Amino acid sequence: MVVAMSDHHVSHPPAEALDMPAVLHALSDPIRLQIVRSLAENGACNCGTFTVPVAKSTLSHHLRVLREAGLTLTEPAGTQRVVSLRRSDLDARFPGLLDAVLGGAAVPT
């Protein structure tokens, strides 16, 4: 699936191509795990509205890693980009994985 956004093409791996090592690597970073937890709890949001203690460029990197691993979907919404969790794709490919990771991960204080 390829989603065109202005002059950039943002690609997402198809559900059947999601790779366990890539997903686990993406979830191994505390900031990325915080982003996934936020999406799981609050639903989709604009990419600039995440409250994480990193610079915008670092947030962009983390969002790219999550997207390329197949954890998130980034779609255009006017001049913004909306990020959502690919929960159904992840649950279909790796049943119980997301629940186990989110349930076992410590919540940042």
Side-chain angles (χ1 to χ4, degrees), residues 65-81:
V65 170
L66 290 169
R67 179 179 43 79
E68 290 177 352
L71 286 154
T72 59
L73 178 68
T74 304
E75 300 177 292
T79 60
Q80 301 283 322
R81 292 182 184 197

Side-chain angles (χ1 to χ4, degrees), residues 19-108:
D19 180 54
M20 179 72 80
V23 168
L24 292 176
H25 168 73
L27 292 170
S28 69
D29 182 89
I31 298 296
R32 291 193 291 266
L33 189 57
Q34 182 180 347
I35 292 168
V36 170
R37 177 177 282 110
S38 174
L39 291 170
E41 292 173 357
N42 305 315
C45 69
N46 290 338
C47 63
T49 61
F50 290 102
T51 53
V52 291
V54 295
K56 282 185 178 183
S57 60
T58 304
L59 174 59
S60 292
H61 165 75
H62 287 306
L63 292 173
R64 181 177 54 81
V65 170
L66 290 169
R67 179 179 43 79
E68 290 177 352
L71 286 154
T72 59
L73 178 68
T74 304
E75 300 177 292
T79 60
Q80 301 283 322
R81 292 182 184 197
V82 176
V83 179
S84 59
L85 188 61
R86 292 178 62 183
R87 183 75 187 229
S88 60
D89 289 342
L90 290 162
D91 287 345
R93 182 86 167 122
F94 309 114
L97 175 68
L98 202 52
D99 289 332
V101 170
L102 293 176
V107 177

Side-chain angles (χ1 to χ4, degrees), residues 3-26:
V3 178
M5 293 189 189
S6 62
D7 294 336
H8 298 45
H9 291 284
V10 178
S11 62
H12 302 85
E16 63 275 3
L18 297 182
D19 180 54
M20 179 72 80
V23 168
L24 292 176
H25 168 73

